[in-house]
Amino acid sequence: MDGFVSKRGYDRNPMVVRDRRLGRSSSAWVRSFAAEDVRPLIVGRGPIRKEAMDVFAQMGIERYGILLSEKDSIVYTHALAPELRCIHPAHVHRVKDYTGATKDERVKLMHEIVAIAREGGYTHVFAGYGFMAEDEEFVRTLEEAGLVFIGPRSSVQRAAGLKDEAKRTALATAVSVTPGIDDATRRIVLRKWPDHAALRAAAAERGLGGPSLAARLAGEVPLAEAADALLAAAYARRVDLYTTDELCAELERGAAELLARHPGRRIRLKAIGGGGGKGQRLLAGIAPGAAEPEAAARARAAEVPALAREVLAEVKAAGVGDNKNILLELNIEETRHNEIQLIGNGAWCVALGGRDCSLQMHEQKLLEVAITQEGLREAIERARAAGDPRGAASLERELTSLAGMEAEAERFGRAVGLNSASTFECIVEGDHHYFMEVNTRIQVEHRVSELCYALRFESPDDPADAFEVTSLIECMVLLARHGERLPRPIRARREGSAVEARLNATNDALEPHAGGVIVSWSDPHPHEIRDDQGICAKNPDTGVFMHYRLAGAYDSNIALLVTYGGSREEAYLRLCEILRTTTLRGSDLHTNLLFHYGLVHWFLARSVWAKPTTRFVVPYLTQVGLLSVELGGLDFDAMWAELGARHARRLAALSGAPDGADGALRKVFALKDTLVRRPVERICAEPHLLSAWLSRNMGAFEVRSGRVRWLKNPVEVLADTYWLLNMAPQPHAPAAHAIWDHDQELLARALGFYRRLGERMGQAGSAPSWPVLREVLSQDTAPPGHDGELWRRVRGSHLGFQAGLELLDALVLAGEATRFFELHVREDGTVALPERLLDSELSARMRKVLAPPPAMRANEIVAVTGGMFYAQEAPDRPAFVTKGSHFDAGDPLYVLEVMKMFNKVLAPFSGTIEEVLIDGGEGTIVQKGQPLFRVRPDEAHVEEDAGDRKRRRREQTMRYVDAVFDPQGF
């Protein structure tokens, strides 16, 4: 069987599955770039591992192997790495962990990988996008062992991958950077040894030598360069020149300087070896009008040591000999996160457009969309054709910014000799951009770029003699195998746009949630590229989906849902359809699927070219939480019953109403109970669905004087709601997830009635608008061409079909009550964030609404979620609390590591620790809701009276009924 043919059956999308075997080409020049002799060992995990396996097979590479950690194989039940379903056991190599928890463990693992590669006959190593992919020491170890790294070489890793070195390179190549401090460790060294002689003495005392270091310490190079050389020598020999306490003190001094010079601005702490959102913390700024800014800055900077220790612990750089340097940068508050995809061979460097990654939370990207010069030019033309000069001008500025970033990225890549794939990351503020960092690895979102551009390599002797590369992993392999032989490629356009949504194991508040089990997953949409680690690979013997546990041993990502289109709008529409039709079921299963569904609808309803900043997601979530609070106070049983009663009373009071009409209407309400209530109540139970519904129906209604006026027939809105919820009739769908047969029959009758009525009432072949038709139906007198009896029956049918649809009005009014539509896109594409949604206390409350904390007794503190419990912020620090400790509300109680993110958990109230209920404070696994401390609260907790709660809910329900029911309406 051909090696490139998929073994899964659900990933046959021709955009990513193709024959990549250059050795079978009819061209001798193309055949010379074959890579079938490469024997790669994959040391990464997650979706990239399975993608690499697929690409290697498509390239004709038959021998490749993978590492397999204990956590991916034996620690958690039903969590076996799904990639094992399609690889020979002989090519699976077991290791304890993929990175190691300490410096010693990492070094040991590096040498273990070298031994595995040698024993297995591997020639190359591919690390994907894990920490090992950006580890200069790891890459150098491979090079010294004669192995080839499929990625940037060690010299590039140092010059571009370490954030302090990269910032200096950027300055040297005229790339704009954010203000800050990148040399804290150098400052410590020069504070301790302030001249060349002192540096030489420090080196001699610690046995650090060698011709290169001696030359740099001799006094012929600048003092700063000499200090850097001493630091590099110390790291290589795993010798500490400074303590963590000294680093924290230096960072505290630097932060105080920055805060005093820039009042009102926050400071970002960034580990030089961090990535993927890890190893970063934010320090609040000081008030712009502080009476004594320097004193205020010193007081605020006192928080830096604790933050720095958290950063070092998170990136596992707190050991002896680790490079602990941490950058301090001014935080650009209204910032967008753009990045440029780069590929190079050391001699040339090509940019493959950009990606907007601004939609993120906890420094973790959630949705990424392509930005290309071609796509922007086409959008500019469409804006001009639509008579939108301000929109066109905004896009023109975006185009100028993108062109500038691509030029700077290529310049940077050439300066460092980039010889593989990397990403040049920028923050964008208004029309200005600033270099942030370079990720010397392939990115999670790389497909977004490779779907927009292919790389065409042409023979220097004959441009027609060429081949195209459509996979960045494929290109990385070719560069690792053939390097400088590859000519500079031409980027060839593929699709107009692409977008990726990260499907994560998180709750509705986007907090990691480990432990769920996936028991079924619907097949992909035709335009979907699903990078799911192989989770959806069904049992080859039975064709049944195999259960998979989201153990949470690593990050929260389950899969990457990627799609494409001729334009950004088409790509978003396809993503919307993918999210609509994706069905994930399981036990204790929480994902961000519905968050993405609401988010994509929000942009489709306003503008797919909107420019949200990295602050957008939190206020958006806060707004969704407010929707949940508003509708959580409604009793739909009481609302439905009251609406039925009011309709019956109004009908009975009408002159000329036939006997028994009110009883007939009650019968109608009984028939329509599940038709109307099932979709509405499902929306109310999932606030992200309500966000999607409100956005989708923005043009279908208007609110006047507190009442909803529909511009679209509510029956059609109801039918569309079933579609939105993926509850339309579909074969083999479980009854709980589809419209019921009798409801579908009634809905079809209603739609048919209005279609025929519109045809009869229309003029010149077009049906009247809903407001016009509704006004006609409100008249007692029959219009021309209709006899009185028929008109009476038509109006009666209309009344029956519309009765009860006021529940849809309640959804609209909930949006109005919470000011959902104040979060909007301005004419220039920027997003207006209402000040009320930026309130941190409100945001915290709404997160608890979206993801209620576990129930606990008044005298207990329980684990807010499952994860790894730590009693202190670092191994050498004391526990936050012990028996007898008093704590105030907001004080840290413990650290919980969930899916590789360290979360400091704060006390919800003040009290005293009476007993610590968990043994050990170093890496103990706890479950959500598990008691951790027995406490004595300072103030007794008072429960709200159940009767008061019930009365308040009924009052709010009746207020909504008053608002949606029009006693004079028809």
Side-chain angles (χ1 to χ4, degrees):
M1 186 170 77
D2 287 344
F4 68 91
V5 174
S6 166
K7 294 182 175 65
R8 288 193 279 179
Y10 70 86
D11 59 354
R12 301 292 180 89
N13 193 312
M15 293 296 292
V16 294
V17 179
R18 58 181 295 177
D19 190 345
R20 305 179 191 276
R21 295 169 294 186
L22 299 183
R24 296 194 177 190
S25 172
S26 59
S27 161
W29 183 78
V30 173
R31 287 197 304 274
S32 72
F33 293 103
E36 285 91 338
D37 58 342
V38 171
R39 301 287 180 266
L41 175 64
I42 305 170
V43 301
R45 66 168 306 280
I48 193 69
R49 177 162 65 187
K50 186 63 181 70
E51 182 188 347
M53 292 165 63
D54 291 342
V55 171
F56 293 162
Q58 293 164 24
M59 294 179 72
I61 297 172
E62 298 178 352
R63 287 272 315 274
Y64 54 82
I66 67 172
L67 295 188
L68 184 70
S69 82
E70 292 178 355
K71 292 176 182 177
D72 259 351
S73 56
I74 62 175
V75 172
Y76 300 98
T77 58
H78 296 297
L80 189 67
E83 298 92 335
L84 296 180
R85 302 168 190 172
C86 45
I87 187 171
H88 194 283
H91 299 154
V92 178
H93 308 280
R94 295 184 180 276
V95 293
K96 183 176 181 180
D97 198 3
Y98 294 117
T99 58
T102 65
K103 176 79 170 183
D104 288 339
E105 288 183 12
R106 288 202 304 277
V107 171
K108 181 181 178 182
L109 178 61
M110 292 175 193
H111 292 289
E112 188 177 349
I113 291 172
V114 169
I116 290 171
R118 284 175 170 165
E119 292 171 10
Y122 299 109
T123 59
H124 292 65
V125 173
F126 178 72
Y129 40 64
F131 273 145
M132 301 293 277
E134 295 183 276
D135 192 318
E136 176 209 356
E137 185 178 0
F138 173 58
V139 177
R140 189 173 64 251
T141 299
L142 296 177
E143 292 168 348
E144 291 171 352
L147 296 167
V148 180
F149 184 64
I150 300 176
R153 62 173 69 96
S154 60
S155 61
V156 176
Q157 296 280 357
R158 177 162 190 81
L162 296 180
K163 292 177 174 54
D164 49 358
E165 292 285 346
K167 199 163 184 179
R168 293 164 201 160
T169 303
L171 287 167
T173 53
V175 172
S176 56
V177 300
T178 51
I181 294 171
D182 58 25
D183 60 348
T185 51
R186 179 203 290 166
R187 291 183 179 199
I188 298 171
V189 168
L190 293 178
R191 197 180 296 277
K192 297 172 74 171
W193 303 289
D195 53 39
H196 287 86
L199 291 173
R200 289 194 297 272
E205 182 181 342
R206 290 158 180 77
L208 303 176
S212 176
L213 178 62
R216 290 179 177 273
L217 300 183
E220 298 178 1
V221 301
L223 193 58
E225 190 175 332
D228 288 342
L230 181 61
L231 282 164
Y235 296 142
R237 289 282 303 277
R238 300 179 62 201
V239 172
D240 274 340
L241 293 177
Y242 53 88
T243 66
T244 301
D245 287 340
E246 288 174 329
L247 173 67
C248 290
E250 189 64 46
L251 291 171
E252 184 175 347
R253 282 190 290 269
E257 293 173 14
L258 283 174
L259 290 169
R261 289 204 306 266
H262 303 279
R265 301 294 292 272
R266 294 187 294 173
I267 304 294
R268 184 177 293 272
L269 286 75
K270 293 167 59 174
I272 63 161
K278 300 179 181 68
Q280 300 191 35
R281 293 293 186 275
L282 277 173
L283 175 70
I286 63 171
E292 299 182 10
E294 292 184 358
R298 287 195 299 271
R300 182 54 50 81
E303 301 172 23
V304 166
L307 297 176
R309 291 179 187 279
E310 289 179 23
V311 165
L312 294 175
E314 195 162 272
V315 299
K316 296 180 171 59
V320 175
D322 285 346
N323 186 343
K324 303 177 182 66
N325 197 15
I326 293 176
L327 277 64
L328 298 174
E329 293 181 344
L330 282 187
N331 192 57
I332 307 297
E333 300 297 341
E334 292 295 332
T335 176
R336 295 161 59 211
H337 182 166
N338 284 186
E339 59 190 28
I340 306 297
Q341 179 63 58
L342 290 176
I343 196 82
N345 77 338
W348 49 258
C349 182
V350 174
L352 295 178
R355 300 182 288 256
D356 191 331
C357 307
S358 302
L359 294 171
Q360 53 184 261
M361 188 173 176
H362 307 312
E363 310 297 336
Q364 296 287 309
K365 300 168 187 172
L366 295 166
L367 186 142
E368 303 100 342
V369 62
I371 321 171
T372 66
Q373 295 188 41
E374 297 90 338
L376 281 164
R377 290 191 188 99
E378 291 166 357
I380 290 167
E381 290 305 312
R382 285 193 293 270
R384 287 173 177 160
D388 182 12
R390 292 197 65 179
S394 173
L395 292 169
E396 285 171 345
R397 293 194 297 272
E398 191 89 341
L399 176 60
T400 301
S401 178
L402 174 62
M405 284 188 285
E406 288 194 89
E408 288 184 6
E410 290 187 352
R411 193 160 64 241
F412 184 98
R414 289 193 297 271
V416 298
L418 178 63
N419 67 314
S420 190
S422 286
T423 305
F424 183 87
E425 304 212 8
C426 297
I427 51 179
V428 180
E429 185 179 37
D431 296 334
H432 305 284
H433 65 269
Y434 305 91
F435 169 75
M436 182 166 59
E437 63 190 30
V438 167
N439 283 325
T440 49
R441 56 174 168 85
I442 196 165
Q443 291 278 89
V444 174
E445 60 274 16
H446 64 277
R447 286 225 196 256
V448 169
S449 294
E450 67 185 29
L451 286 167
C452 292
Y453 291 115
L455 290 165
R456 178 179 171 83
F457 293 91
E458 298 179 348
S459 168
D461 300 325
D462 180 7
D465 191 3
F467 63 93
E468 279 195 358
V469 174
T470 58
S471 160
L472 281 169
I473 293 178
E474 176 188 10
C475 194
M476 292 173 73
V477 173
L478 295 177
L479 287 163
R481 177 64 180 84
H482 300 288
E484 294 186 2
R485 280 195 60 235
L486 282 163
R488 179 184 174 91
I490 299 168
R491 69 181 193 186
R493 195 178 187 197
R494 297 181 74 196
E495 290 290 329
S497 188
V499 61
E500 171 184 283
R502 299 195 190 191
L503 182 66
N504 296 334
T506 57
N507 57 31
D508 280 347
L510 303 188
E511 298 163 339
H513 181 92
V517 177
I518 303 174
V519 300
S520 69
W521 193 337
S522 55
D523 290 334
H525 183 275
H527 293 115
E528 176 184 355
I529 298 167
R530 182 183 296 175
D531 285 328
D532 64 357
Q533 312 171 56
I535 293 172
C536 287
K538 296 178 181 178
N539 186 305
D541 298 320
T542 65
V544 174
F545 183 92
M546 290 183 275
H547 294 191
Y548 183 73
R549 180 180 295 278
L550 303 170
Y554 297 101
D555 58 49
S556 63
N557 185 239
I558 303 169
L560 310 172
L561 308 181
V562 191
T563 191
Y564 46 88
S567 65
R568 180 177 284 194
E569 184 174 22
E570 184 178 31
Y572 266 85
L573 285 168
R574 285 178 173 174
L575 178 58
C576 187
E577 181 64 4
I578 289 166
L579 297 168
R580 185 184 76 85
T581 57
T582 295
T583 304
L584 271 165
R585 297 194 178 99
S587 60
D588 191 29
L589 181 62
H590 295 264
T591 75
N592 62 349
L593 182 73
L594 293 183
F595 159 78
H596 279 302
Y597 195 41
L599 187 73
V600 171
H601 271 288
W602 194 93
F603 284 99
L604 280 169
R606 293 159 180 85
S607 171
V608 295
W609 286 102
K611 302 174 184 179
T613 69
T614 53
R615 301 179 74 189
F616 174 83
V617 170
V618 171
Y620 171 79
L621 273 182
T622 302
Q623 180 63 67
V624 173
L626 291 169
L627 288 174
S628 182
V629 170
E630 183 70 15
L631 287 173
L634 299 182
D635 181 341
F636 281 94
D637 287 334
M639 183 180 290
W640 187 254
E642 181 66 19
L643 283 172
R646 293 193 186 190
H647 270 287
R649 289 197 297 270
R650 186 182 66 181
L651 184 59
L654 288 176
S655 60
D659 293 339
D662 56 338
L665 192 60
R666 286 193 181 93
K667 221 173 149 184
V668 167
F669 257 78
L671 284 172
K672 296 176 70 174
D673 183 277
T674 55
L675 172 65
V676 179
R677 289 182 57 182
R678 282 185 71 218
V680 170
E681 290 182 16
R682 184 180 171 196
I683 286 174
C684 293
E686 298 283 359
H688 289 296
L689 286 177
L690 179 55
S691 172
W693 188 90
L694 288 169
S695 292
R696 182 171 175 81
N697 288 290
M698 272 177 59
F701 60 80
E702 58 185 18
V703 179
R704 294 182 179 178
S705 303
R707 292 198 180 275
V708 178
R709 179 174 182 268
W710 287 99
L711 307 178
K712 180 179 179 180
N713 189 340
V715 170
E716 295 176 7
V717 174
L718 180 64
D720 184 75
T721 299
Y722 272 98
W723 177 91
L724 179 82
L725 300 176
N726 198 27
M727 293 176 68
Q730 41 192 317
H732 313 301
H737 302 285
I739 188 172
W740 292 344
D741 291 344
H742 65 278
D743 288 336
Q744 172 59 27
E745 181 182 347
L746 182 56
L747 182 59
R749 282 173 54 200
L751 291 170
F753 167 79
Y754 286 108
R755 183 178 62 254
R756 292 189 299 273
L757 182 61
E759 291 170 354
R760 292 192 63 175
M761 301 292 295
Q763 296 178 352
S766 63
S769 68
W770 174 246
V772 170
L773 184 58
R774 187 176 184 277
E775 177 62 27
V776 172
L777 286 165
S778 69
Q779 304 301 317
D780 291 334
T781 306
H786 295 74
D787 65 65
E789 175 58 23
L790 175 61
W791 187 241
R792 186 186 66 78
R793 290 166 54 197
V794 165
R795 295 181 75 224
S797 295
H798 166 63
L799 177 63
F801 287 133
Q802 293 295 317
L805 295 185
E806 293 92 346
L807 288 192
L808 298 176
D809 296 34
L811 302 182
V812 174
L813 293 178
E816 286 290 309
T818 59
R819 295 184 279 174
F820 178 80
F821 303 102
E822 286 184 2
L823 187 65
H824 69 279
V825 178
R826 302 184 183 98
E827 288 185 358
D828 64 355
T830 59
V831 178
L833 301 177
E835 194 65 32
R836 62 188 175 85
L837 298 179
L838 301 177
D839 184 308
S840 58
E841 291 185 4
L842 176 63
S843 296
R845 290 203 305 274
M846 292 306 102
R847 285 198 298 273
K848 290 181 179 180
V849 167
L850 293 171
M856 62 182 181
R857 297 190 180 98
N859 67 336
E860 285 183 346
I861 298 289
V862 304
V864 293
T865 187
M868 200 77 76
F869 172 91
Y870 296 92
Q872 61 273 0
E873 65 182 351
D876 60 341
R877 307 298 294 174
F880 289 114
V881 292
T882 57
K883 184 176 181 178
S885 299
H886 182 271
F887 57 87
D888 292 322
D891 284 352
L893 295 178
Y894 60 97
V895 170
L896 204 60
E897 181 185 6
V898 187
M899 295 176 165
K900 289 300 180 183
M901 298 299 290
F902 286 78
N903 306 278
K904 188 182 291 184
V905 181
L906 307 181
F909 53 80
S910 301
T912 302
I913 303 292
E914 293 191 327
E915 186 179 356
V916 178
L917 302 176
I918 184 167
D919 294 329
E922 284 295 320
T924 304
I925 295 176
V926 297
Q927 305 299 318
K928 181 178 180 178
Q930 177 179 337
L932 303 176
F933 308 102
R934 184 166 291 115
V935 302
R936 184 177 68 256
D938 288 352
E939 297 180 2
H941 176 68
V942 179
E943 289 272 349
E944 181 185 13
D945 181 73
D948 290 343
R949 188 164 56 246
K950 183 177 181 180
R951 183 172 58 256
R952 191 180 67 251
R953 191 176 186 211
R954 178 167 181 79
E955 288 173 354
Q956 182 172 349
T957 300
M958 291 304 109
R959 282 198 299 271
Y960 263 78
V961 173
D962 292 341
V964 301
F965 182 78
D966 183 1
Q968 306 302 320
F970 186 86

